Amino acid sequence: MERLFEIDIKNYLDTDAVYKRPSARGIIFIDGKIALVYSKKEKYFKFPGGGIHPDEDKLTALCREVREEVGLVVIPSTIREFGSVLRRQRSDRTAATIYEQENYYYFCEVEAGHTEQDLDAYEADAGFELRLVSLDEAIKVNSEYKSDDFFNEVMISREKKVLELIKASLE
């Protein structure tokens, strides 16, 4: 898969341990709008998706994560690669550790309708919900996002840049 860009904060030591958490994320358009996760608590948009478990491949993780986070069922035969983004920064949870996340983005279509979300506790606390919005609205909201949580700011900056790349690819 083509690497779209890298985010390396370099706020760690080269001798730190590396914690790798690859993820798969869906780029889904429904009726001309993009389907995104909206955090009611933090007021940002992110692509539905998340961590790839050790016992699953990228596409299985993509389908599982999209269903869990927004209740949409991906049609596997429609999945196609967009690109990846590598993110490296000091872990916000473990001392002397580099958080490294390769994010794999895929265009995909979904079945009509949706199922119930199956959110983790932190996702429910953030108020994750499905929203269908224009690319411009999502870019604007994420451009204005500010947080005391630097880790989240890096994530939302990444998502904003991917949204901008998608928009450019469609023009």
Side-chain angles (χ1 to χ4, degrees):
M1 180 179 289
E2 174 189 355
R3 170 115 7 109
L4 301 169
F5 60 93
E6 292 183 19
I7 298 173
D8 192 340
I9 305 302
K10 299 187 187 298
N11 60 349
Y12 52 82
L13 300 175
D14 290 336
T15 56
D16 288 348
V18 177
Y19 170 70
K20 294 185 179 192
R21 186 173 187 269
S23 71
R25 305 192 181 280
I27 303 168
I28 303 162
F29 283 93
I30 300 173
D31 298 327
K33 304 274 186 174
I34 192 160
L36 296 169
V37 173
Y38 182 71
S39 169
K40 293 186 287 186
K41 180 179 180 180
E42 291 286 325
K43 312 245 183 299
Y44 63 68
F45 287 105
K46 73 175 224 47
F47 291 90
I52 300 168
H53 295 166
D55 63 337
E56 65 187 354
D57 61 39
K58 294 178 194 102
L59 302 187
T60 301
L62 171 70
C63 295
R64 176 184 52 76
E65 283 285 347
V66 168
R67 185 191 50 74
E68 289 175 357
E69 286 194 351
V70 293
L72 297 173
V73 178
V74 172
I75 302 168
S77 63
T78 68
I79 299 170
R80 54 192 208 285
E81 295 179 358
F82 180 64
S84 73
V85 177
L86 178 66
R87 171 186 177 187
R88 285 175 60 93
Q89 69 187 98
R90 183 178 60 228
S91 173
D92 66 339
R93 295 188 180 136
T94 309
T97 302
I98 300 167
Y99 179 82
E100 181 176 289
Q101 184 179 49
E102 188 82 32
N103 297 272
Y104 301 96
Y105 291 85
Y106 297 92
F107 283 105
C108 52
E109 295 176 22
V110 294
E111 295 177 4
H114 62 279
T115 64
E116 292 293 317
Q117 291 171 286
D118 184 14
L119 300 176
D120 292 332
Y122 80 92
E123 295 168 332
D125 182 56
F128 279 10
E129 68 179 18
L130 171 64
R131 292 238 180 130
L132 301 178
V133 297
S134 70
L135 285 167
D136 288 335
E137 179 181 351
I139 291 167
K140 179 181 183 295
V141 167
N142 283 3
S143 294
E144 296 169 353
Y145 177 72
K146 300 285 183 245
S147 176
D148 292 334
D149 184 341
F150 181 67
F151 209 77
N152 272 356
E153 281 200 1
V154 174
M155 174 185 66
I156 298 311
S157 172
R158 179 197 71 217
E159 299 293 63
K160 179 183 79 76
K161 190 166 181 178
V162 173
L163 286 162
E164 291 168 340
L165 291 172
I166 292 166
K167 182 179 176 182
S169 77
L170 298 174
E171 292 178 342

